[in-house]
Amino acid sequence: MKQNLVIIFLLASSACFSQNNDNLKLWYNTPSGKTWENALPVGNGRLGAMIYGNVDTETIQLNEHTLWSGGPNRNDNPLALDSLNAIRKLILEGKQKQAEQLANKVIISKTSHGQMFEPAGELHLAFPGQDNYSNYYRELDIEKAVSKTRYTVDDVTYTREAIASFTDRVMVMHLTASKPNSISFTAFYSSPQPKVEVKTTLSKQLTFAATTIDHEGVKGMVRYKGIADFKTNGGTVSATDTSIIVKNANEVTIYISIATNFNNYLDVSGDENERAASYLAKASVRSFATILKAHVTAYQKYFNRVKLNLGITAAPDLPTNERLKNFHSTNDPQFAALYFQFGRYLLISSSQPGGQPANLQGIWNNKLYPAWDSKYTININAEMNYWPAEKTNLSELHEPFLQMVKELAVAGTQTAKDMYGARGWMAHHNTDIWRATGAVDGAFWGLWNQGGGWTSQHLWDHYLYTGDKKFLATVYPVLKGAATFYVDFLVEHPTDHWLVINPDESPENAPAAHQGSSLDVGTTMSNQIVFDVLSATISAAKILKKDATFIDTLTQMRSRLAPMHVGRYGQLQEWLDDIDDPKDNHRHISHLYGLFPSNQISPYRTPLLFSAARNTLLQRGDVSTGWSMGWKVNWWARMQDGNHAYKLIQNQLTPLGVNAGGGGTYNNLFDAHPPFQIDGNFGCTSGIAEMLMQSADGAVHLLPALPDAWQQHGFVAGLKAKGGFEIVLMEWKDSKLVKVIVRSFIGGNLRLRVPNELVATNGTMKAANGENTNPFYQVTATKEAVISSKATIGATDLKRTFLYDIATAAGKTYSFTIK
Ligand code: FUC
């Protein structure tokens, strides 16, 4: 039924109003040259590659998801426990700087500060005599996950297609030419890695092998092996010691297999040689056409679930880099839609079940010493990577992150015990493939102790979207462990008597009042995270009918947490004391965690806090690092201010270098912190979804923040809402919803909040009344906020909405049209 309805709709409107295939391409009329950020990313969650599309020497820069520096290790500082009380005391005495100095000695790791995600080198193909080329074109087709380069030399048109196969576990490049015997090149390998052994084999394969480097005292233990195999049609293949020479072929297929000895974060006893060889043996007997077909089908299983059309203009007829340049001044709704779908493409390509989660650069890095080690910063960045996962219908791809949380819970149990004398588990602000849970970088950044709390919320979120009780039962011990840590670690504030975290910090920001130190007690973000962890654990325990006494303990503790505060500038306070600087434009606005991704701040339930959050957003300003702008798109969407959210998208989709003092976007649409960080891509993708649909605040809210630029006509198909609902289709015209189709996977009350009156075309709907009875939409009330007597807050105007209740049954589809 659902499929039919959507197909009928999409067919009916496709002639004039589909998500045109050409809109799902990044394309360019110049090669990448030497610039990595011009190259186009492909990936299958295990392998990543950047395709440069250069004519005379093609470069395929390679990555493998488990290729990291170091080996299994821990980085706790066991001195912490003895000094914990001294640090707490110093902070309470206002000696934050001294506390920080002590924490640098006793809390910050004396061993690894996190290991690095490492490159697997580059395969180059040198084509003689191709300097004078014409008709150059290259593209990344994100509807098929295929990159293509095409150009003409002396009347011969050359085409190269590249994929990281989802089904065959290898990278494949397929080279063709419009005339026979035209393809000749020399293939060779290079790598920033020291000590790589490069060889050719009797069967004319090019191989490379090495062990990753030592880093910060941790011995490199990841061995890797790569094999490139060249299958030709016509022509000859020969080899030197370190290169393969193809001459006069009609067609060439290059298969690249890479594997490591990594089994899991505690075990590197696998056989990289056997693995690389077996992946290759299975794949290389299959033709490019066969592999391509299976690859596209596997990819589209995920990608095709969501279609987005934000309107049509003539703007897309330009290369992607030109559209990026113009986006600020041109109405190009297809570009925003392309960017949204590119975010989904990147998640599908860098995060597959059973693999490693997308790191700071997803699965793409060419540097031996990448920025921030290309690892996982869990005070925002890694969580942001997974914001689009559930709502853009890629729930299965959340798995690598959820698996990482489970592993952190094991590693972090010892950290909680050894460093803080607490039960349960915790993590600080960074982790890596070895699931390091110690504190790194310096106490200013690394002392933050909510890494376990925040990451654990993704488990709960996965449950809220899917309603999968079996999953909830398996992860309950992890949620419980995160809560148990807080049961032991929270302390009573000496004067206010709230339960607070001490030592604490609001990620990476310091109030001027603290002599440049970030250390504090009971910061707003920590209070909000603890509130969520306790609430989720209480709810999970109730659903699973477990741990009644523990529920009481948590409920009691939750009632003693510090409330949110509104300060003298009308701002949501970042710290318990009213010490925010209204001119502070720090990229982290951590205390707005309560607005998004959490839902403790609501226009309907907590209007004062909502307005205070708006003041904070205005005070902090718009332009910032890439990921910060991505977060702001989500916040302005929650503010129901589509035009401001759109302004942030414009700021983010600006070529790097134009935003004074801020980030932007590279030609290949990678987000620029700068440097490249993928979190901004994912953050903005989530933000665009939040502008169209939210399921946070007691209802499924459709079109909460539609900007003027997209109001005319558009549709989205396939977004997911909490409680197992899919917005099979939602179409709008002139800001009004004209058609809505919702599928219920698990039944329950569907409460719709919409901008105009609707009527049901099947099923019955009634005006909503009272609390939403759907358990997935229960929101725990926060404590009443403390408001400064100096604060002028003002009210935030909201557009009128209509609220309906529809009783749904599992598996049924409901449609509505404009009244
Ligand atoms: C956090 C941020 C930085 C950067 C780094 C990877 O530390 O404050 O801006 O994104 O993570």
Side-chain angles (χ1 to χ4, degrees):
M1 171 71 166
K2 167 196 125 181
Q3 292 299 354
N4 292 347
L5 281 172
V6 182
I7 290 166
I8 292 166
F9 172 81
L10 294 177
L11 284 179
S13 46
S14 64
C16 56
F17 195 63
S18 70
Q19 180 160 350
N20 184 331
N21 289 354
D22 285 348
N23 289 337
L24 291 172
K25 283 178 179 167
L26 281 63
W27 66 272
Y28 308 82
N29 50 25
T30 48
S32 298
K34 291 200 163 78
T35 307
W36 187 81
E37 294 84 358
N38 284 342
L40 296 171
V42 295
N44 64 6
R46 261 87 186 173
L47 299 176
M50 296 292 282
I51 314 294
Y52 280 65
N54 288 339
V55 175
D56 56 351
T57 304
E58 173 63 293
T59 295
I60 306 166
Q61 187 265 313
L62 299 161
N63 285 103
E64 200 277 350
H65 67 140
T66 61
L67 214 163
W68 285 64
S69 68
N73 74 93
R74 297 194 59 86
N75 65 348
D76 309 314
N77 188 337
L79 297 176
L81 190 52
D82 281 348
S83 297
L84 184 59
N85 283 337
I87 292 171
R88 285 177 160 161
K89 191 160 169 280
L90 284 169
I91 296 175
L92 289 171
E93 287 167 359
K95 298 174 184 156
Q96 290 88 357
K97 199 77 205 171
Q98 266 170 271
E100 189 177 320
Q101 279 155 4
L102 179 55
N104 273 328
K105 291 200 190 103
V106 300
I107 289 186
I108 295 305
S109 169
K110 295 295 163 240
T111 57
S112 169
H113 284 233
Q115 297 299 313
M116 303 178 291
F117 176 55
E118 293 286 67
E122 295 109 19
L123 182 71
H124 306 277
L125 312 175
F127 297 85
Q130 297 207 333
D131 301 340
N132 284 324
Y133 59 87
S134 56
N135 297 330
Y136 182 89
Y137 174 83
R138 71 187 168 105
E139 69 173 28
L140 178 65
D141 180 342
I142 62 167
E143 202 181 20
K144 296 204 172 84
V146 182
S147 123
K148 194 186 279 179
T149 306
R150 197 178 54 219
Y151 57 91
T152 305
V153 177
D154 294 337
D155 290 338
V156 182
T157 298
Y158 294 87
T159 307
R160 305 172 198 152
E161 287 164 283
I163 59 172
S165 163
F166 284 96
T167 40
D168 288 69
R169 228 180 152 139
V170 288
M171 253 299 302
V172 191
M173 184 173 264
H174 183 231
L175 300 95
T176 52
S178 61
K179 288 193 180 154
N181 310 117
S182 303
I183 306 174
S184 298
F185 62 82
T186 300
F188 61 98
Y189 174 85
S190 70
S191 176
Q193 299 276 357
K195 300 193 199 144
V196 187
E197 198 181 357
V198 184
K199 282 194 206 160
T200 54
T201 65
L202 286 177
S203 49
K204 304 202 179 65
Q205 293 171 333
L206 181 67
T207 70
F208 50 93
T211 302
T212 52
I213 57 174
D214 306 346
H215 186 55
E216 295 172 348
V218 183
K219 195 166 166 37
M221 291 176 71
V222 177
R223 292 195 314 267
Y224 60 96
K225 172 69 171 281
I227 314 172
D229 193 30
F230 300 78
K231 293 251 181 306
T232 56
N233 168 344
T236 59
V237 183
S238 58
T240 69
D241 284 354
T242 56
S243 67
I244 300 291
I245 301 154
V246 172
K247 279 210 170 116
N248 306 327
N250 302 320
E251 179 187 344
V252 183
T253 309
I254 309 174
Y255 302 80
I256 307 167
S257 172
I258 311 174
T260 75
N261 60 347
F262 181 93
N263 287 338
N264 61 54
Y265 73 104
L266 298 169
D267 174 6
V268 286
S269 66
D271 182 343
E272 71 283 8
N273 293 313
E274 191 276 321
R275 284 175 182 170
S278 79
Y279 302 151
L280 183 68
K282 282 189 199 122
S284 62
V285 292
R286 281 153 64 85
S287 70
F288 179 68
T290 307
I291 292 183
L292 179 67
K293 193 158 175 253
H295 165 78
V296 172
T297 307
Y299 170 72
Q300 291 188 340
K301 174 183 134 198
Y302 295 114
F303 185 76
N304 285 355
R305 289 176 186 170
V306 174
K307 306 249 182 270
L308 176 64
N309 186 316
L310 297 170
I312 305 269
T313 66
D317 289 340
L318 288 173
T320 303
N321 50 320
E322 298 290 326
R323 288 172 76 188
L324 177 65
K325 253 189 233 156
N326 297 343
F327 188 64
H328 232 271
S329 52
T330 317
N331 186 18
D332 186 355
Q334 298 99 309
F335 196 57
L338 174 72
Y339 188 76
F340 167 86
Q341 292 289 26
F342 184 56
R344 296 183 66 246
Y345 167 82
L346 292 174
L347 194 67
I348 302 169
S349 306
S350 62
S351 179
Q352 285 286 317
Q356 291 299 316
N359 62 50
L360 278 174
Q361 300 189 179
I363 192 170
W364 299 280
N365 164 42
N366 65 337
K367 294 201 170 74
L368 194 60
Y369 293 93
W372 292 288
D373 305 333
S374 193
K375 55 183 186 301
Y376 303 98
T377 310
I378 52 176
N379 66 11
I380 169 64
N381 316 80
E383 288 90 347
M384 183 177 276
N385 283 1
Y386 284 86
W387 289 348
E390 301 290 341
K391 63 185 85 153
T392 78
N393 213 333
L394 299 172
S395 182
E396 302 95 316
L397 308 188
H398 211 164
E399 190 274 345
F401 186 87
L402 304 179
Q403 178 61 26
M404 177 166 84
V405 179
K406 293 185 208 167
E407 292 170 358
L408 288 174
V410 178
T413 299
Q414 192 176 329
T415 309
K417 180 164 171 275
D418 291 356
M419 290 185 62
Y420 301 110
R423 296 166 304 155
W425 69 279
M426 66 81 65
H428 295 87
H429 93 302
N430 260 257
T431 189
D432 59 13
I433 199 170
W434 312 113
R435 307 308 184 230
T437 44
V440 303
D441 293 350
F444 185 97
W445 307 271
L447 171 139
W448 187 73
N449 33 46
Q450 270 52 264
W454 190 352
T455 56
S456 72
Q457 291 313 288
H458 280 244
L459 303 168
W460 177 239
D461 239 39
H462 182 69
Y463 168 72
L464 289 182
Y465 276 92
T466 60
D468 183 347
K469 281 209 180 104
K470 264 199 209 132
F471 168 82
L472 187 65
T474 61
V475 298
Y476 175 71
V478 179
L479 279 175
K480 185 179 175 183
T484 305
F485 171 70
Y486 291 129
V487 170
D488 286 3
F489 192 60
L490 286 164
V491 288
E492 186 177 287
H493 191 283
T495 50
D496 296 324
H497 305 293
W498 294 309
L499 290 180
V500 290
I501 301 284
N502 180 14
D504 195 6
E505 52 197 28
S506 188
E508 311 196 21
N509 199 9
H514 289 179
Q515 318 100 41
S517 173
S518 65
L519 269 58
D520 197 28
V521 177
T523 69
T524 302
M525 183 202 227
S526 292
N527 302 335
Q528 292 168 341
I529 290 177
V530 177
F531 180 88
D532 275 355
V533 171
L534 302 192
S535 300
T537 310
I538 292 166
S539 301
K542 285 184 181 162
I543 293 162
L544 299 168
K545 304 197 173 41
K546 282 189 156 168
D547 294 335
T549 325
F550 189 58
I551 292 177
D552 287 345
T553 307
L554 298 188
T555 310
Q556 215 265 331
M557 291 188 88
R558 185 176 62 186
S559 70
R560 296 178 60 202
L561 295 177
M564 284 181 257
H565 285 60
V566 177
R568 66 180 119 166
Y569 302 109
Q571 86 282 15
L572 180 74
Q573 282 178 209
E574 183 160 4
W575 295 280
L576 267 189
D577 296 327
D578 192 357
I579 49 179
D580 300 75
D581 173 359
K583 296 214 167 60
D584 178 8
N585 60 7
H586 198 276
R587 61 195 180 284
H588 288 261
I589 320 180
S590 304
H591 43 314
L592 294 191
Y593 163 92
L595 175 66
F596 181 90
S598 185
N599 59 5
Q600 296 170 33
I601 299 172
S602 147
Y604 308 108
R605 290 174 288 117
T606 64
L608 273 183
L609 284 173
F610 186 74
S611 296
R614 187 166 186 278
N615 292 338
T616 291
L617 271 174
L618 291 170
Q619 287 163 14
R620 281 286 168 98
D622 293 335
V623 167
S624 189
T625 56
W627 63 258
S628 177
M629 294 191 279
W631 201 346
K632 285 170 187 165
V633 177
N634 293 271
W635 283 320
W636 282 109
R638 287 281 166 102
M639 281 287 140
Q640 302 185 19
D641 187 337
N643 286 339
H644 208 133
Y646 185 74
K647 187 165 171 248
L648 261 306
I649 299 176
Q650 285 181 308
N651 290 338
Q652 196 175 341
L653 291 183
T654 293
L656 183 61
V658 176
N659 283 325
T665 296
Y666 294 105
N667 281 339
N668 64 2
L669 301 191
F670 270 173
D671 177 71
H673 179 289
F676 164 50
Q677 251 181 237
I678 207 161
D679 40 21
N681 287 94
F682 293 135
C684 189
T685 298
S686 160
I688 292 171
E690 288 281 321
M691 290 163 79
L692 302 172
M693 193 271 294
Q694 296 171 16
S695 63
D697 200 11
V700 177
H701 191 169
L702 303 181
L703 294 186
L706 190 69
D708 294 347
W710 305 340
Q711 59 82 33
Q712 209 178 4
H713 190 187
F715 73 82
V716 63
L719 294 180
K720 284 276 187 150
K722 286 179 188 147
F725 295 113
E726 179 170 333
I727 314 306
V728 175
L729 184 73
M730 152 179 134
E731 185 193 356
W732 65 89
K733 275 188 184 138
D734 300 322
S735 300
K736 289 206 164 73
L737 283 172
V738 291
K739 193 184 216 66
V740 176
I741 306 172
V742 182
R743 176 156 215 228
S744 169
F745 282 83
I746 54 178
N749 184 49
L750 166 65
R751 176 163 292 184
L752 282 182
R753 185 184 287 283
V754 289
N756 52 277
E757 289 181 279
L758 295 178
V759 285
T761 48
N762 70 330
T764 47
M765 66 196 290
K766 54 180 195 321
N769 203 350
E771 284 284 298
N772 188 349
T773 53
N774 188 317
F776 294 92
Y777 285 81
Q778 304 296 311
V779 208
T780 316
T782 47
K783 260 195 197 161
E784 202 168 322
V786 175
I787 318 275
S788 159
S789 57
K790 297 187 187 128
T792 331
I793 305 171
T796 307
D797 285 340
L798 294 179
K799 290 197 190 92
R800 178 166 182 214
T801 57
F802 299 83
L803 212 52
Y804 299 105
D805 278 341
I806 301 100
T808 73
K812 291 250 154 52
T813 300
Y814 301 84
S815 11
F816 314 92
T817 126
I818 188 164
K819 189 170 177 182

